[in-house]
């Protein structure tokens, strides 16, 4: 008998949860219809990518399946790849699915930035891990080459942990709805390695805009209040 039959934690369906959840999904459906967003997963991904990109000063979001998630503006070919992690997950990291050699090489240029957005619940964006390092592209290229040679399993998937992003690749932590002290406390609970986090590795939004030369959007306060 398959071991899968012994796995899982099955509980009786809670009708109160069912009713309340359905009411929320009806509201989501009305927004989908208003903005002509048919597929629910795509809708949620685009909404979250838009929030992360907006905070970071990117003006454009990609509504197509292919390409990077955000673009700085109409004039500059600066792109953002957004990965998401749940606050309650056992580990936080950026997962790359179905990576190609072409995309891996793009991460080796100065045109592509990577962002790991950590979320609490569906809409509460806690902080962003942001940066750029050509070695990430080299890492991805090496993993894809192994996959193509038959050494990498059945799917081209790569993962980079939050500690690797910060300590190995030099990424910054950008606070969104929490103070620096609150974010550092959350990080230290996840890994004791963050006890060594220095002040210049964790940025407020204003410090982020100044360091990366990004422009704060005019409606930032609206997003902040609704998050």
């Amino acid at each position: 008998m398959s071991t899968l039959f012994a796995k899982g934690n099955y509980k009786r369906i809670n009708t109160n949860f069912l009713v309340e959840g359905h009411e929320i999904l009806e509201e989501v459906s009305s927004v989908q219809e208003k903005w002509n967003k048919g597929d629910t997963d795509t809708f949620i991904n685009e909404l979250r990518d838009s929030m992360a990109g907006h905070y970071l000063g990117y003006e454009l979001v990609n509504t197509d399946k292919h390409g990077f998630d955000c673009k700085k503006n109409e004039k500059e070919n600066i792109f953002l790849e957004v990965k998401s992690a749940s606050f309650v997950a056992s580990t936080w990291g950026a997962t790359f699915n179905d990576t190609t050699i072409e995309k891996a090489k793009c991460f080796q240029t100065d045109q592509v930035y990577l962002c790991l957005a950590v979320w609490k619940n569906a809409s509460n964006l806690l902080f962003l891990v942001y940066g750029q390092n050509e070695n990430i592209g080299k890492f991805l290229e090496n993993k894809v080459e192994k996959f193509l040679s038959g050494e990498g399993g059945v799917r081209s998937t790569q993962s980079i942990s939050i500690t690797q992003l910060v300590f190995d690749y030099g990424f910054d932590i950008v606070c969104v709805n929490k103070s620096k002290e609150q974010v550092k406390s959350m990080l230290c609970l996840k890994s004791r390695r963050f006890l060594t986090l220095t002040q210049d590795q964790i940025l407020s939004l204003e410090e982020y805009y100044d360091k990366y030369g990004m422009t704060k959007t005019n409606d930032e306060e609206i997003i902040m209040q609704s998050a």
Side-chain angles (χ1 to χ4, degrees), residues 28 32 36-50 61-66 69:
V28 171
Q32 285 179 267
N36 193 28
K37 305 294 181 182
D39 180 73
T40 302
D41 289 340
T42 301
F43 164 73
I44 296 296
N45 288 336
E46 182 181 333
L47 181 58
R48 284 189 159 188
D49 291 347
S50 296
V61 67
N62 185 8
T63 60
D64 199 356
K65 180 179 180 181
H66 303 289
D69 296 315

Side-chain angles (χ1 to χ4, degrees), residues 19-136:
V19 171
E20 290 182 29
H22 183 260
E23 290 175 352
I24 295 298
L25 290 178
E26 285 185 326
E27 294 183 26
V28 171
S29 296
S30 67
V31 177
Q32 285 179 267
E33 291 177 6
K34 178 180 179 179
W35 296 98
N36 193 28
K37 305 294 181 182
D39 180 73
T40 302
D41 289 340
T42 301
F43 164 73
I44 296 296
N45 288 336
E46 182 181 333
L47 181 58
R48 284 189 159 188
D49 291 347
S50 296
M51 288 181 67
H54 183 83
Y55 276 117
L56 293 171
Y58 288 76
E59 298 178 8
L60 309 176
V61 67
N62 185 8
T63 60
D64 199 356
K65 180 179 180 181
H66 303 289
F68 295 99
D69 296 315
C70 296
K71 187 178 179 182
K72 186 176 180 180
N73 52 46
E74 294 281 4
K75 297 179 180 179
E76 298 176 85
N77 284 326
I78 301 298
F79 300 90
L80 177 68
E81 181 80 352
V82 181
K83 303 298 182 182
S84 293
S86 171
F87 177 75
V88 299
S90 58
T91 59
W92 297 339
T95 300
F96 299 79
N97 293 317
D98 301 321
T99 311
T100 63
I101 293 291
E102 180 184 14
K103 196 163 190 178
K105 287 187 178 296
C106 287
F107 277 101
Q108 298 175 39
T109 72
D110 60 0
Q111 292 180 258
V112 180
Y113 286 82
L114 174 64
C115 162
L116 173 63
V118 178
W119 298 82
K120 183 178 182 182
N121 301 323
S123 63
N124 190 357
L125 178 57
L126 297 175
F127 59 88
L128 303 159
V129 181
Y130 178 85
Q132 182 185 73
N133 192 313
E134 65 176 345
N135 288 324
I136 287 178

Side-chain angles (χ1 to χ4, degrees), residues 92-94 129 133 136 139 159-171 193-194:
W92 297 339
V129 181
N133 192 313
I136 287 178
F139 164 79
S159 295
I160 303 175
S161 70
I162 188 172
T163 52
Q164 288 176 303
L165 289 174
V166 174
F167 296 107
D168 297 341
Y169 295 114
F171 277 42
R193 192 173 181 185
F194 285 107

